[in-house]
Amino acid sequence: MTSSIKSDLFLTNKLSFARNERSFSSMKRAVSNNLVAASAVKSGSKPLHVERALRVRKIDEIERGERRGKFGIYGGKFVPETLISCLGKLEADFNFVLHDAEFQAELAIALRDYVGRETPLYFAERLTNYYKNENGEGPDIYLKREDLNHCGAHKMNNAIAQAMIAKRMDRQRVVAATGAGQHGVATAAACAKLSLDCTIFMGSEDMEKQASNVFLIKLLGAQVTKVEGSFKDASSEAIRQWVNDLEVSYYLTGTVVGPHPCPSMVREFQSIIGRETRRQAMERWGGRPDVVVACIGSGSNALGIFHEFVGDEGVRLVGVEAAGFGLDSGRHAATLATGHVGVYHGAMSYLLQDQEGQVLGAHSVGVGLQYPGVGPELSFLKDTGRAEFHTVTDEEALNAYQLLSRLEGIIPAMEAAHALAYLEKLCPTLPDSTKVVVNCSGRGDKDAPLFFQHRPALDA
Amino acid sequence: MALALKSTCFVQLKRPKSCYAFRSSRQLAVVSTRRSTTMAALSTVATIGISETFAKLKKEGKVAFIPFITAGDPDLSTTAQALKLLDSCGSDIIELGVPYSDPLADGPVIQAAATRSLAKGTNFDAVISMLKEVVPQLTSPVALFTYYNPILKRGVEKFMSIVNDAGVHGLVVPDVPLEETEILRNEALKYNIELVLLTTPTTPTSRMKAIVEASEGFVYLVSSIGVTGARGSVSARVENLLRDIKEATTKPVAVGFGISKPEHVKQIAEWGADGVIVGSAMVKVLGEAKSPEEGLKELENLTRSLKSALI
């Protein structure tokens, strides 16, 4: 297991290096590697060569623009000038650790022993059968089990890596904002492990809904600072705190929003999900996934599984946002579906805003999806048509939450339940044996009280 | 030209000896009608722009006093009165903040002011209507302080055109970094709006030079690492930063963030600043008072005491 995680990370280094260098010769080298690997595949040699063959990262617009911090027009650094040089330094440190063998080795061990990677790619047999039509045809549904990560969500992949960077940068204090609390818990845990002081900003509304996470954060030794409102207000306040304190504290972004390099950093650390999925798919059925489905709040778990496959035109990328009470209700979190381009929390991206340009609040039964913005990279994927985006209401998500619990004995996070809910519409359209991978981004223990509040009749 | 002089004289004749703002709405109505008949042909207002204000002050050996208040806190009519009050109490340039739902660069005082203002239903159009009435009555130029998203929503060009029509001379947008200011600058230039850029204690010298080169009106030196909000004292590094900036440019430099006392103002003027900006302290006395009348009185007292430090 070590070797596969290490090789994932190592190959990222090499490829990022190649990407960063962007020399003709490195491109040529990549191409010739693939040719070698292609012949290696035919002769049936080791998985490592196969991985290289599969990892054809086209140097395209995304990566070109990304070096300036932009994905097309999206992204950028729309923050007060005070933060700019701090962000520059962060970017330099980030680029350094990507190539630093020592850091990567340490991260590989942490991901294996502390986080519990790699997470299984689970064949959901009963769920697959549930969605089969009268002829017994339907897609094969696999779940990428990010719910089995330490702290119960994909958040730890990023939190541990960034906490290690904070330590490396000699910052004593880590500051973070959290919505559902999963990022808060993951950050608090990582800080406990690395002996860093930690302050978590959480919205007052969220603290009520996900109270168990508040207890966990405190138990892990972090301070919880209550901010009136929800995640968006907690984020704003955390950023202000960062500006006030930037020589001493490290702002640990939990998701793919914020000024450059934050979206890229989080995406890079979360992309292990997609890399593992690719390898596991190859081992399992000798191919790639046909469709990859993920829920979208701000986009960290979605990009985590999508990013690896963006260059593979044959893989369909499906993002599912929260329609809350319905798209017409005004109470939802469907940023890509109904938002307009704006600047928020440091990046240009789609945004839920009114005609004045004031930012609107978002709603979803999946607390972690309640964010009026969305990652700039996802905005780019939407505009280029590389990924498709759909929405699912609170009711549909609640149903899916219960369905997976009953059919597979797996309780998904309410956020991930949105991705699962979309299977209702998706499966009937797919040919027999299509390989669908759903990113089960977290576990849903935290949502059980909320579920029974919505379905009191079931609490008999 | 003659028309412009006439309206300036009119304003001066009407200015009361004390510092109280115009209260009679009847007078306000008179002013408006006058304006609409004589000023119809002009697209600019009687006041001079920001750079010119600084040039004038420099000749007189004076340091500019630049107060900031949030529009619509406690309400727009109080803002209108406050603007006139600040003007007649000796402000040289007035900064007006447009309330925004997520003010990243602002501390608790200005955040609270924005929240109160938005709760009252303040919107951009209302602020512009108010300015159209009030700006002709002011002798100091007005600069708007707004975040980027409301500008983008309207469209940069449209925004500049609207703001120019209202008689505004300058613009500060705190969440647009230098790299992204090109579009703003081009459109601002077309409409004679001076786009003021900010430089901070964390800005490296090479970047600072690029910023001061591009900034118009004046250079806004942020005095401390953090968001807006009164602080106990002014950091000593402001002196060094001022010196570095003055080596890089002849443009006027005004210092802001955290200034709340006459001692701060005096110190900064002694260090060589061309202007001093006071925000949260003003917003606090105006917005957190028990009544608008009391708020205006407190504002006047504060303005007088801060201005006296510059004499």
Side-chain angles (χ1 to χ4, degrees), chain A residues 10-211:
Chain A
F10 232 61
L11 282 156
T12 320
N13 296 348
K14 287 195 183 152
L15 289 155
S16 315
F17 200 67
R19 204 192 320 149
N20 287 341
E21 293 303 287
R22 301 237 312 107
S23 63
F24 225 151
S25 54
S26 75
M27 276 178 76
K28 278 190 191 166
R29 230 181 297 128
V31 170
S32 65
N33 272 347
N34 293 330
L35 290 172
V36 164
S39 54
V41 172
K42 284 184 202 147
S43 64
S45 46
K46 287 179 199 165
L48 205 59
H49 296 286
V50 169
E51 283 162 36
R52 283 204 194 108
L54 293 170
R55 228 175 302 262
V56 177
R57 290 227 193 172
K58 290 179 253 176
I59 314 273
D60 60 5
E61 176 60 39
I62 297 180
E63 294 175 12
R64 250 197 298 278
E66 231 192 288
R67 290 207 303 154
R68 294 185 303 273
K70 294 275 201 150
F71 306 93
I73 61 163
Y74 301 109
K77 295 182 191 181
F78 291 89
V79 288
E81 172 61 33
T82 313
L83 266 181
I84 297 284
S85 64
C86 175
L87 290 171
K89 189 166 188 316
L90 185 59
E91 190 177 349
D93 279 305
F94 170 58
N95 282 322
F96 181 81
V97 303
L98 278 184
H99 314 141
D100 181 35
E102 199 186 308
F103 181 92
Q104 293 299 332
E106 206 184 311
L107 182 60
I109 293 171
L111 287 171
R112 182 194 67 191
D113 294 343
Y114 185 67
V115 183
R117 299 206 75 89
E118 58 180 47
T119 56
L121 185 67
Y122 170 76
F123 175 55
E125 189 173 355
R126 288 195 69 198
L127 194 66
T128 297
N129 291 336
Y130 179 85
Y131 286 119
K132 283 200 199 293
N133 63 16
E134 316 82 50
N135 304 330
E137 292 167 348
D140 295 335
I141 302 170
Y142 290 79
L143 301 179
K144 182 60 175 151
R145 302 292 305 281
E146 292 301 299
D147 57 302
L148 292 175
N149 253 2
H150 178 42
C151 293
H154 69 293
K155 298 292 185 187
M156 187 54 93
N157 303 332
N158 166 63
I160 187 70
Q162 284 206 54
M164 283 170 60
I165 295 180
K167 190 97 188 166
R168 182 196 185 77
M169 287 169 82
D170 275 320
R171 297 296 161 86
Q172 196 30 51
R173 191 158 42 241
V174 167
V175 161
T178 189
Q182 293 302 118
H183 175 60
V185 172
T187 305
C191 287
K193 173 177 161 48
L194 295 170
S195 104
L196 293 163
D197 292 332
C198 180
T199 304
I200 303 292
F201 288 81
M202 200 166 173
S204 49
E205 297 163 13
D206 295 337
M207 283 174 76
E208 273 174 42
K209 290 183 211 163
Q210 311 270 247

Side-chain angles (χ1 to χ4, degrees), chain B residues 59-116:
Chain B
K59 279 198 202 115
E60 297 166 12
K62 292 195 185 141
V63 173
F65 177 68
I66 309 173
F68 164 100
I69 53 171
T70 300
D73 179 44
D75 54 62
L76 275 173
S77 75
T78 309
T79 304
Q81 292 175 70
L83 288 172
K84 286 177 270 186
L85 175 65
L86 291 167
D87 187 46
S88 53
C89 284
S91 304
D92 300 294
I93 296 167
I94 304 175
E95 254 192 64
L96 186 65
V98 178
Y100 183 53
S101 56
D102 288 71
L104 269 190
D106 287 311
V109 171
I110 297 180
Q111 277 176 60
T115 308
R116 286 191 296 263

Side-chain angles (χ1 to χ4, degrees), chain A residues 296-297 321-340 351-353 360-366 369-373 391-394 418:
Chain A
I296 296 180
E321 288 185 300
F325 286 103
L327 292 180
D328 297 324
S329 69
R331 297 190 59 197
H332 58 75
T335 313
L336 291 165
T338 66
H340 300 277
L351 176 61
L352 290 176
Q353 50 181 307
L360 296 170
H363 163 81
S364 169
V365 68
L369 301 180
Q370 286 184 164
Y371 186 64
T391 63
V392 140
T393 61
D394 282 354
H418 284 72

Side-chain angles (χ1 to χ4, degrees), chain A residues 81-86, chain B residues 198-211 221-222 225 241 244:
Chain A
E81 172 61 33
T82 313
L83 266 181
I84 297 284
S85 64
C86 175
Chain B
L198 298 94
T199 179
T200 74
T202 58
T203 309
T205 314
S206 50
R207 187 181 168 85
M208 177 273 281
K209 289 187 176 151
I211 292 174
L221 172 59
V222 175
I225 298 177
L241 290 166
D244 291 341

